[in-house]
Structures are given as C-alpha cells and as structure tokens.
Amino acid sequence: MNNNSFFITTPIYYVNDSPHIGHAYTSIACDVIARFNRLNNKTTMFLTGTDEHGLKIEQAAKKNKMDTKKFVDQMNVSFKELTKTLNLSNDFFVRTTEAYHKKASQHIWDILKKNNQIYLDKYKGWYSVSDEAYFNEDEITTDKSGKKLAPTGSEVQWVEEESYFFKLSEWQDKLLDFYDKNPKFIGPESRKNEVVSFVKNGLNDLSISRTTFSWGVEVPDDKKHVMYVWLDALINYLSAIGYPDKKYKKFWPADLHVVGKDIIRFHAIYWPAFLLAAKLEPPKRIFAHGWWTNEGKKISKSLGNVIDPNEIIKEFGLDTLRFFLLKEVPFGNDGDFSKNSLQRRINNDLANDLGNLIQRVLTIINKNFDGKLNKIKEINENDKKLYEYPEKLLKTISKNYEKQELHKVIENIWKLISESNKYVDESAPWELVKSNKDRAGDVLNILVVVIAKIAIYLAPIMPSVSENILKKIGLSIKNLSNEDILKYDFLDLSYKIEKPKIIFQKFDND
Ligand code: MSP
C-alpha cells in the first residue's frame, strides 16, 4: 500500500427506505475527514454506496409490489442524489448488485472454502430481518404481546434451514491477539471494551448462507444458497477498489471504516475474522459514532419522526447542517437533534463569532482603505501571537482528525476565532484608522491573513462557506497549493475588498 494514500468508507446503506439524518451524519463525517486528508496532500479514496441484497430488501420490494431489481434501481437513486445534496466528495459509489461486486464476493468465498473455513450444516435459531442478524437464545426477550425481540428491539423469527457456516469460533483468540497488537483498531475506547468483552465471552460459528430466499449473491458451486448479506456487504470495501485485481492494493488496507454504533460488531469482529481467514489484511481502524434522537425521542418510522436531511437543508442550508451535526455532540456520543439547537448554533457560533469577525474586519477595510491593503510594515509581540496561532492550530487539528475528534477540530478552530475577535476588540482598528493609519493597516492585514486561515481550516467542514469567505478576500482554495496554505504571504494584495454581505442570517428564536 502507498504510504501517502488514505482510504475512508461509510457503511453502505440499505435501500429498503429513503435516506434519513442518520445516513447523512455518517456520510458528512466521512466527507469532512476525506476533504481534510486531500488538503493534506494524501491520495484519498472516499467510498460510499448502497447495500442492496438480503431478505429485508426483498420484502420491501414485495411490499411495494415491485420486481426486486427494479426496486433497488429506483431506491438507489435517492441515495446517489443525497451524495450531491450533501456535497460529498466521494470518489466512488458502490452497489452490491453490480457484477464486479458479485465477482469479488464469490472470489472471497472460494478462498475461505479453500482455506477450510466453511462447512455445510443446518442453522436453527433466531434471525432478525430488520437487523439482518442472528441472535443467541439468551439474547432474546418476549414482549407483552408475546413477540420475540432481539436486544435491538426488532422482532426475530425462528429459522431452520441448511446453511454454510464460517468457523468464527476458531478466531476468538486470534482476534483478541489482533486487538491487543493493534490498539488503535477500534475507536472510541468505550466501543473497544464492548467488542473485546463480547469476543472474550466466546464466538459461535456463523451462518453465512441462506436457502429460503434468493435475493443475494449465489454461493459458488451451490446455487441453492445465497451468501449472508453481511458477508456480501462487508466485501464492498474491497470490490469497490478493484479486488480481486491487484490494483486494490493501492488503497488496501483501508485506513478508516466509519460506522454507527449498532454495526460495530459486524465490522470489528466478523470483518477482520473473514479477512484474516482469507489471508487478507484487516482495515487499520473502525470508528463507531453514536445515534441521533429527534427532540429526545428515538427516530423511527413508526413514530413518524424521521428527519429528512433534504428538508433541513432547504430550511437552514447545507453547510450549517454539516457544522451543527459535528459541533453539537462529541463524535462517538449520542446526540439530540432539534431545530432550536440548530438555530442557536447558527446565531451564536456562526453569526456572532465567525460572521461578525469577518463582517467587521472587511467593512473597515472597505470603508477606510478603499478595499485595498498594503504589505505589513511592522509587527509587535502581540500581533505575532495571533499571526502565528494558525500554524500551531494546524498541528492540533491534525491530531484531532487522527482520532476522529471532529468536535474538537471545530472547538479548536473556534478558539482562534475567539482570539481574533479579542484582538479586534483590543486593537480597535476603527479608532486606529483615525489616529495611526499605518498601524491600522497592519492590524487589519494580520486579521485578513488569519481569516483566510480560518476559512481554509473550515473548508472540509463547510466547503461553500469557506469558498465564500475566501472569495471576499480575493482567494480561492482551488488556486491555493498546499505550500500556499502553510505559508502566510499568499494574499493577492491587488484584490479589492468589496463591502461584505452578511454570511449567516440570524434566527430570532433565542
Ligand atoms: N447496510 C448496513 C451496513 C453495511 S456496511 C458493510 C446498514 N445500513 S443502514 O442503512 O441501516 O445504516 C447505515 C448507517 O446509518 C449505520 O451506520 C447506522 O448506525 C446509521 N444510522 C441509522 N440511524 C441512525 C441514527 N438515528 N443516528 C445516527 N446514525 C444512524 O446498517
């Protein structure tokens, strides 16, 4: 693998229903991380896509009285459209019903079989179609109406059928050893403990094929069986980068699979076990984020409180949603979505802190210098503190990104915004223009450089807002090389700063 490459993935989304805020959340987080790595000169591969096989999808198609293939083709469109609506920078969109994916899945199956990791038996046990997962007897509870439920709250059904099994039980010690040797494999730490204790409790062999329906990848040499949808789905991370062709090595092992906390086990237990059994390298890291509730309530179709990202974007704008989702809760924790808190963030963090800084600095330049500044003449110790802050900040946020502490990235950028606002207050350039115009020019020049830096650091999070800010000072991120970004004297001083228009409109609910 190329050391300068970076491969990041979202989970692939089930196409049984329309996309909602949960899908948008994972995708936006991955997009931010991918964009940061691109800015950092990494050859980046950002993958997303759709999970289109399995009983859940087959049943959804039936419910809609549609042919299953036609159904997935139709449903897939709204997920592809969402990548545009969210301004995702994904390099590829994988679909598990495509021929290349089936080929890769069957190839892995053949290797597992050759490596003596698969045997034929009979599965007898509980299955949840909604989770597409098997559950042990001791995990099942019965509700008041007598329904059998999985720990996730979804209904399970009793299944008895011929099935191929993967020898997962053989991998218990090897997995524990792998977690031990790769302490960064699972994040955040709390999830790691959960996974390790699950594995320590013992692993059963895993049923990896079904015979009672046909919507899946056919098992090679046994057409009665289709592959278990999770085995098929996980392989997307390889099929999308060309596996089994050796070009997949350019990006494999993946640097980061971002997933929701509900699917950590599939990614942190089954996936490395399948890969190790196939003599392939496991990914470097799996990070599980938390779940959103809506005004304190679990988001569910039956409660009718599903949040459509398209509607929020129409009402509040895309970049503000991107900002809100990442700022509101530490990445990894659960969060609560409400329009009130979204508006509060727009009013306080965006309009007051960031918007005001830009507005006041650019207005003074426009008014008093006819929109043009000269090169800096003299810089004092206090100026230097602010002037050199962005360079330190870049180091800090790079570390935050490595740990997927996206909320800290924002927090730390906001510290610079607040330092800059303090500097404006203390140096009072609106007074200086009257008493010492050269000094006012230096102060404003420093501020413009810092504003440019802030905009650049915000680019992964709010790409359009960032471009908008840079445009106001005659820059565009597309025209900036990485060296430019790191050094300070990249301002085109021939550019005239126009009277700034307000970037963030306030809401009056506060
Ligand atoms: N198809 C599987 C993933 C296979 S990956 C090899 C799947 N799909 S999903 O469409 O059900 O879920 C996709 C992602 O959305 C998961 O990471 C899940 O955690 C996330 N979310 C679904 N609801 C969510 C919230 N309410 N909040 C945050 N994320 C949530 O699982």
Side-chain angles (χ1 to χ4, degrees), residues 322-390:
R322 290 173 64 111
F323 173 82
F324 171 78
L325 290 177
L326 301 181
K327 174 76 205 288
E328 190 68 2
V329 288
F331 199 52
N333 291 10
D334 291 336
D336 185 44
F337 190 95
S338 79
K339 286 191 180 176
N340 264 338
S341 20
L342 177 53
Q343 291 181 354
R344 220 170 296 130
R345 288 259 168 246
I346 296 175
N347 289 354
N348 298 341
D349 302 354
L350 297 178
N352 282 355
D353 299 343
L354 176 61
N356 248 347
L357 170 68
I358 297 164
Q359 196 68 20
R360 37 189 202 156
V361 170
L362 301 193
T363 305
I364 306 175
I365 300 173
N366 172 262
K367 252 199 193 150
N368 299 282
F369 291 83
D370 195 24
K372 278 184 178 182
L373 289 173
N374 296 318
K375 275 213 184 301
I376 293 177
K377 292 195 175 68
E378 227 185 292
I379 217 165
N380 67 30
E381 275 310 302
N382 196 38
D383 298 339
K384 223 168 143 194
K385 237 175 63 200
L386 184 69
Y387 196 68
E388 286 172 357
Y389 194 123

Side-chain angles (χ1 to χ4, degrees), residues 103-117:
K103 187 175 135 198
S105 306
Q106 290 174 333
H107 190 84
I108 298 256
W109 182 284
D110 285 337
I111 297 180
L112 291 175
K113 204 166 158 202
K114 203 176 81 211
N115 293 353
N116 193 24
Q117 294 293 323

Side-chain angles (χ1 to χ4, degrees), residues 9-17 20-27 49-53 56-57 79 96 130-132 229-237 258-264 266-267 271 289-294 297-300 334-335:
T9 68
T10 73
I12 47 171
Y13 305 118
Y14 287 129
V15 287
N16 60 310
D17 221 330
H20 57 67
I21 201 79
H23 304 120
Y25 183 48
T26 323
S27 290
T50 40
D51 191 349
E52 303 188 357
H53 285 135
K56 170 150 120 171
I57 310 286
F79 284 89
T96 54
S130 161
D131 301 322
E132 294 285 18
V229 63
W230 267 101
L231 172 57
D232 155 0
L234 287 162
I235 293 171
N236 91 83
Y237 301 133
V258 177
V259 300
K261 63 178 183 181
D262 53 319
I263 55 173
I264 183 87
F266 300 92
H267 283 82
W271 185 220
H289 65 66
W291 269 47
W292 286 91
T293 47
N294 184 358
K297 293 207 179 64
K298 188 176 177 216
I299 298 178
S300 92
D334 291 336

